[in-house]
Amino acid sequence: MAKLDLYTMKGDRKGEIEVSDEIFALEPNQDLLHRAVVIQLGNKRQGTHKAKDRSEVRGGGRKPYRQKGTGRARQGSIRSPLKIGGGVTFGPLPRSYRKTMPKKMRRQALKSALSACVQGEKMLVLDELQLQEIKTKAMAELLNNLKLDKSTLVILDSKNKVVELSARNIPGVTVEYVNTINVYDLLKHDKVLMTEASIRKLEEVYA
């Protein structure tokens, strides 16, 4: 089994823990990761873009000038796509960008992302993450002890409002839970901070 270093909240190395090879030691599937990211970002889009075509633009009911004798090209409406202020030809219309991925592929993509984090040496594991009160300073000190000065994704095993609110005002820090993590967030952040409990819960669900 693969092994990861285990740290305390003070930043001291406590030892090692064994983790499942099936989740944290796979060869990342780049194609699957790309598909998962594209689908996730597409599902976030509102799809409310709209441009008016010539039938929807106001005005243009009268022929702008006579058909013949002017020396200019014939025109039937000032709202033609050829005119400034006219309609748009083949413009964007409201649509849904939502796509789905089979459950097995979603699970495999998440495993690939977690394995990529381990191979990229961007994952740190804490023995526990408990704060006494909601305090941004306490969370900032924790991150400083672990030398996490870049964007960091914190993954917890269960709901922890104290940690969540303490990290809310720190730029680049995102708090997620085992049941809400996704491929995009894992790849986007420079560092991933997990607790030993969240590792074990991941193994229960995905191993």
Side-chain angles (χ1 to χ4, degrees):
M1 297 181 74
K3 293 183 178 181
L4 295 175
D5 291 334
L6 185 66
Y7 293 90
T8 66
M9 291 178 61
K10 293 183 178 180
D12 301 323
R13 185 178 179 277
K14 187 177 180 180
E16 291 182 335
I17 61 169
E18 291 186 342
V19 295
S20 172
D21 290 343
E22 191 178 340
I23 301 175
F24 299 99
L26 295 176
E27 182 63 33
N29 187 325
Q30 299 297 331
D31 176 63
L32 202 54
L33 291 174
H34 178 261
R35 290 190 188 192
V37 170
V38 169
I39 288 175
Q40 185 178 341
L41 293 181
N43 290 347
K44 285 184 176 182
R45 297 183 66 174
Q46 286 185 316
T48 54
H49 40 48
K50 176 71 170 72
K52 294 182 179 181
D53 61 26
R54 65 182 299 161
S55 69
E56 298 169 312
V57 178
R58 181 180 175 86
R62 179 173 61 87
K63 189 174 175 63
Y65 48 82
R66 60 182 179 161
Q67 180 85 345
K68 297 179 179 293
T70 66
R72 291 181 289 176
R74 56 192 174 187
Q75 295 290 339
S77 171
I78 60 172
R79 294 308 175 218
S80 162
L82 304 178
K83 294 287 188 179
I84 295 176
V88 178
T89 305
F90 305 127
L93 298 172
R95 55 164 289 195
S96 172
Y97 288 89
R98 178 159 294 279
K99 295 180 181 178
T100 58
M101 179 182 279
K103 183 178 179 180
K104 286 185 178 180
M105 291 179 69
R106 290 200 308 270
R107 292 169 67 94
Q108 195 63 27
L110 190 62
K111 292 179 183 180
S112 286
L114 290 166
S115 296
C117 290
V118 173
Q119 294 179 17
E121 298 181 351
K122 56 186 282 186
M123 182 177 290
L124 277 79
V125 184
L126 277 179
D127 57 350
E128 62 174 356
L129 178 49
Q130 294 293 335
L131 299 179
Q132 299 301 320
E133 57 180 334
I134 300 172
K135 207 170 186 65
T136 302
K137 183 178 179 181
M139 189 66 188
E141 287 178 357
L142 167 65
L143 297 175
N144 186 55
N145 292 339
L146 297 168
K147 296 181 173 58
L148 299 177
D149 54 348
K150 299 180 180 179
S151 66
T152 303
L153 175 65
V154 181
I155 302 176
L156 304 175
D157 61 307
S158 59
K159 198 75 173 175
N160 190 326
K161 207 69 176 175
V162 176
V163 174
E164 190 175 335
L165 294 177
S166 297
R168 182 172 56 179
N169 291 329
I170 302 177
V173 176
T174 305
V175 177
E176 294 285 352
Y177 300 94
V178 170
N179 60 343
T180 63
I181 57 174
N182 57 74
V183 173
Y184 178 68
D185 282 340
L186 286 168
L187 299 180
K188 181 182 74 170
H189 290 83
D190 294 323
K191 295 290 184 179
V192 176
L193 179 62
M194 301 185 70
T195 61
E196 185 176 5
S198 60
I199 292 276
R200 299 310 173 204
K201 192 164 185 178
L202 269 174
E203 290 176 339
E204 288 179 14
V205 177
Y206 294 100

